[in-house]
Amino acid sequence: MLQTLAFGLSIGAIYALMALAIGMIYSTTRILNFCHASIIMVGAMTAYWCIGVYHLPYWVGVLAAIIVNTIINFIIYYTCLKGLGDLLSNVNWIITLFGMSVVLNNVARMVFGANQNPFPYLFNGASITVGDATVLWHEIFTIVFAVVIGVTYQQICQKTKFGRALRAVSFKPQTAKLMGISSNLIIQLCFMLAAVVAAIGGVLIAPTTFASFSMTTTIGLKGYAAALIGGLGDTKGAFVGGFLLGLIECIITLFIPAGLKDAVSFVLMILVIIFLPGGVLSAKIFTHGRSATEKV
Amino acid sequence: MARLLEVQDMRFAYGKTEVIHGISFYIEEGEIVTLIGANGAGKSTTLNALSGLQRIASGSILYQGHDISKESPQSLVKKGIRLVPEGRQIFPAHTVEENLLLGAYTEKSKDAIRDRMESMFNQFPRLRERRKQFGGTLSGGEQQMLAIARALMTEPTLLMLDEPSLGLAPIIVDEVMQLLASFKGTGLTVLLVEQMANQALEISDRAYVLETGNMVMDGTSAEVAGDPRVIEAYLGNV
Ligand SMILES: Nc1ncnc2c1ncn2[C@@H]1O[C@H](COP(=O)(O)OP(=O)(O)OP(=O)(O)O)[C@@H](O)[C@H]1O
Ligand SMILES: [Mg+2]
């Protein structure tokens, strides 16, 4: 049971990181970055090439993933979004981003091949035994990293000048500009942060999914589910949504055929969207009847 | 007196629809100027163009002698042009203090920001009481005061206000107008946009009347306030 719990929470932590990155971009642009799963994959494949093929140190792989992801996120911003004008008043971004994710997946398949490549766990797969359960240090650290990243981001948003500006852009880019804030710069920084989070999430999940061009096809969708369950653009919500989804999936496979696991996640997401459109944290028991004005 | 702002033959279009048809006006240093106009006349469009939010189609905007029509809002804020936008646009999920800090976003010196904040709190004691409260929880009048204080955080040269009286109780409107009148002689220049213009004309030096994208009248505030057409169209519900 502890083993299942640890695995569920570590998968949940990955969902949470995805939801967080999706939320970072959503909060300043009001778009859902449909490329996010592909970006995670590209980062993880980059890291795999550094670590698995060229035998470079682990941290070099992570750094390379961060750099490649950042570049790709900027390319996405400039090619798929910048030229579309006001993103609130048209939905062309849905098409451009979907298109871009297909392009990324195909190019990745061509560049990296179609193999499923093993990817190293942190600490070479060392584990700790508690009673009759064996928990990987990798899983524990995945959870810890995710929480540390989430808390750090939340602190940045609440306590720093950049965070204040980010929340201002998130409310209304026009008004933020009147304060002398370059809304464009803030949005680009959000894309950069999202790229970093994607790189870290990618190397942490790759040992489980294996590194391949299709590693994030299913898991990627869960990121959006977690984001919507937790409430889009809500940092705490991303973690609540992510962990909830990871746990429910692992526990539910004890009772239903594993093939139905993914369906359950999305049924859950649909139910939350119908009954709590603002995410689970918008439920009365969390807000004490007040509206959740303070997001991010 | 020197002209702080001079707009010459400014045209503005949303897409292909021209809504400002070549207007000219000027503001001298230290003046309070009112721009009157009905719904849809193009008042907000004019202010947005002056603050760099939108690009004009042709004409020029001279500020301190230089054309600023292609500059970004950030650089205009740094040059001392600040807009208090229509509907106040307080950041609802930022505290009062954070709203003021955002107002001082382009200011690098921490000391200067602290001094400015202190002087705003002295000028608006209500804001000091509510410094930790979210902007969205303030009353309309308090929000308008905050919006003005926020714009004053960088000690602007030209303060532009888009219908500051909108949706406020008459007694609060008086307060806002008195505040603006008190800027007279402090070196601050004010461009005030209003629809119902009684009080605005009382506190301003000169006025312009904008009708569907054309400047149809200008003069001292007394002259404009005395014009029968203005009385009928804009000074109605006294
Ligand atoms: N974003 C926009 N796109 C297209 N047309 C616009 C846009 N904003 C304003 N307009 C049009 O431009 C004209 C001027 O609008 P503007 O908002 O400047 O008027 P206003 O004088 O500020 O009016 P109000 O008193 O209602 O605020 C109007 O005809 C309006 O319909
Ligand atoms: Mg207007």
Side-chain angles (χ1 to χ4, degrees):
Chain A
M1 190 59 204
L2 184 63
Q3 211 162 316
T4 315
L5 209 67
F7 182 69
L9 282 176
S10 73
I11 293 291
I14 300 291
Y15 296 161
L17 287 181
M18 287 190 228
L20 178 68
I22 289 163
M24 284 174 181
I25 290 178
Y26 174 81
S27 60
T28 46
T29 59
R30 294 289 176 269
I31 61 143
L32 280 176
N33 185 5
F34 290 123
C35 289
H36 193 68
S38 307
I39 292 156
I40 294 174
M41 177 272 294
V42 171
M45 289 307 291
T46 305
Y48 164 73
W49 268 64
C50 294
I51 301 165
V53 178
Y54 290 104
H55 305 289
L56 296 168
Y58 192 85
W59 67 267
V60 175
V62 177
L63 191 66
I66 289 176
I67 293 168
V68 169
N69 279 2
T70 305
I71 292 170
I72 291 188
N73 250 358
F74 279 154
I75 293 176
I76 290 173
Y77 176 66
Y78 278 101
T79 58
C80 300
L81 298 169
K82 190 95 197 304
L84 297 182
D86 183 7
L87 294 170
L88 296 180
S89 62
N90 72 61
V91 287
N92 294 335
W93 55 268
I94 295 178
I95 313 296
T96 55
L97 289 177
F98 256 124
M100 185 53 107
S101 78
V102 173
V103 171
L104 285 174
N105 294 348
N106 283 356
V107 170
R109 185 184 185 142
M110 212 173 69
V111 173
F112 300 119
N115 295 338
Q116 307 271 319
N117 308 292
F119 194 94
Y121 282 104
L122 288 172
F123 315 109
N124 300 316
S127 58
I128 173 175
T129 312
V130 187
D132 57 353
T134 312
V135 177
L136 287 171
W137 279 110
H138 180 92
E139 289 167 356
I140 296 171
F141 268 81
T142 299
I143 300 164
V144 172
F145 276 146
V147 171
V148 167
I149 289 171
V151 171
T152 309
Y153 178 67
Q154 178 105 9
Q155 289 301 311
I156 289 174
C157 281
Q158 295 306 326
K159 301 275 156 67
T160 68
K161 187 175 175 182
F162 165 71
R164 249 193 324 270
L166 188 156
R167 286 183 288 133
V169 174
S170 168
F171 167 66
K172 216 176 254 181
Q174 288 285 87
T175 312
K177 282 183 189 166
L178 289 177
M179 304 299 115
I181 297 168
S182 165
S183 299
N184 214 10
L185 179 70
I186 300 289
I187 291 171
Q188 286 178 41
L189 286 171
C190 284
F191 270 84
M192 203 177 99
L193 285 179
V196 173
V197 173
I200 294 170
V203 295
L204 290 175
I205 193 63
T208 312
T209 59
F210 283 33
S212 82
F213 77 96
S214 60
M215 62 181 281
T216 50
T217 347
T218 335
I219 218 168
L221 285 173
K222 305 294 181 55
Y224 303 103
L228 287 160
I229 290 171
L232 261 175
D234 184 328
T235 303
K236 275 195 209 89
F239 281 81
V240 172
F243 283 130
L244 207 64
L245 202 56
L247 277 181
I248 289 173
E249 275 183 3
C250 281
I251 292 167
I252 212 135
T253 38
L254 302 176
F255 308 106
I256 63 161
L260 279 177
K261 189 182 78 170
D262 295 338
V264 169
S265 308
F266 288 99
V267 169
L268 187 70
M269 180 190 84
I270 291 166
L271 288 177
V272 170
I273 290 173
I274 293 172
F275 293 107
L276 291 167
V280 281
L281 290 183
S282 65
K284 273 222 177 60
I285 52 164
F286 295 111
T287 61
H288 308 287
R290 277 178 283 119
S291 73
T293 39
E294 180 69 333
K295 285 217 170 167
V296 179
Chain B
M1 240 191 279
R3 291 190 177 177
L4 179 66
L5 185 87
E6 175 138 28
V7 174
Q8 292 164 335
D9 199 25
M10 180 176 94
R11 288 174 185 274
F12 184 95
Y14 287 106
K16 286 199 166 55
T17 321
E18 186 176 278
V19 296
I20 306 278
H21 312 292
I23 60 170
S24 302
F25 64 100
Y26 66 89
I27 307 172
E28 287 181 353
E29 275 168 18
E31 268 191 318
I32 299 182
V33 170
T34 301
L35 178 62
I36 309 170
N39 274 339
K43 307 182 296 296
S44 299
T45 304
T46 300
L47 292 190
N48 287 347
L50 294 184
S51 51
L53 286 177
Q54 272 154 341
R55 292 275 160 266
I56 61 175
S58 67
S60 63
I61 306 171
L62 299 179
Y63 172 72
Q64 293 173 334
H66 301 282
D67 188 9
I68 54 159
S69 62
K70 293 190 175 61
E71 295 205 25
S72 67
Q74 297 94 271
S75 91
L76 294 180
V77 166
K78 286 187 194 146
K79 288 191 168 152
I81 303 182
R82 299 274 331 224
L83 171 65
V84 178
E86 189 172 66
R88 306 181 266 281
Q89 304 288 349
I90 288 305
F91 297 107
H94 287 70
T95 62
V96 166
E97 207 166 58
E98 284 183 312
N99 267 281
L100 292 175
L101 286 172
L102 281 168
Y105 188 80
T106 54
E107 177 61 64
K108 297 271 182 311
S109 152
K110 288 228 162 65
D111 291 340
I113 295 174
R114 196 171 327 109
D115 290 351
R116 248 1 245 166
M117 178 105 75
E118 193 49 35
S119 102
M120 285 308 131
F121 283 149
N122 289 337
Q123 208 169 340
F124 305 101
R126 303 271 289 168
L127 297 183
R128 190 197 297 276
E129 285 164 34
R130 292 164 204 282
R131 61 198 294 173
K132 297 287 176 212
Q133 216 167 301
F134 286 128
T137 66
L138 300 185
S139 73
E142 288 162 353
Q143 286 194 358
Q144 188 60 65
M145 294 305 179
L146 178 57
I148 294 172
R150 187 175 67 177
L152 293 177
M153 284 298 285
T154 44
E155 299 192 307
T157 312
L158 174 62
L159 182 69
M160 309 189 289
L161 302 102
D162 196 346
E163 299 199 47
S165 66
L166 197 73
L168 298 183
I171 182 159
I172 312 287
V173 176
D174 285 345
E175 230 178 283
V176 172
M177 291 300 160
Q178 272 165 29
L179 174 71
L180 298 183
S182 78
F183 293 149
K184 192 83 196 157
T186 61
L188 185 63
T189 306
V190 176
L191 173 57
L192 176 57
V193 155
E194 279 291 349
Q195 222 176 111
M196 296 314 291
N198 299 308
Q199 281 135 310
L201 288 175
E202 273 166 34
I203 64 158
S204 57
D205 302 300
R206 289 186 306 114
Y208 290 90
V209 180
L210 185 66
E211 259 170 28
T212 55
N214 294 299
M215 218 47 116
V216 294
M217 195 187 301
D218 68 85
T220 65
S221 295
E223 284 166 9
V224 172
D227 188 280
R229 284 171 299 164
V230 172
I231 294 172
E232 190 184 344
Y234 305 104
L235 303 178
N237 66 0
V238 182

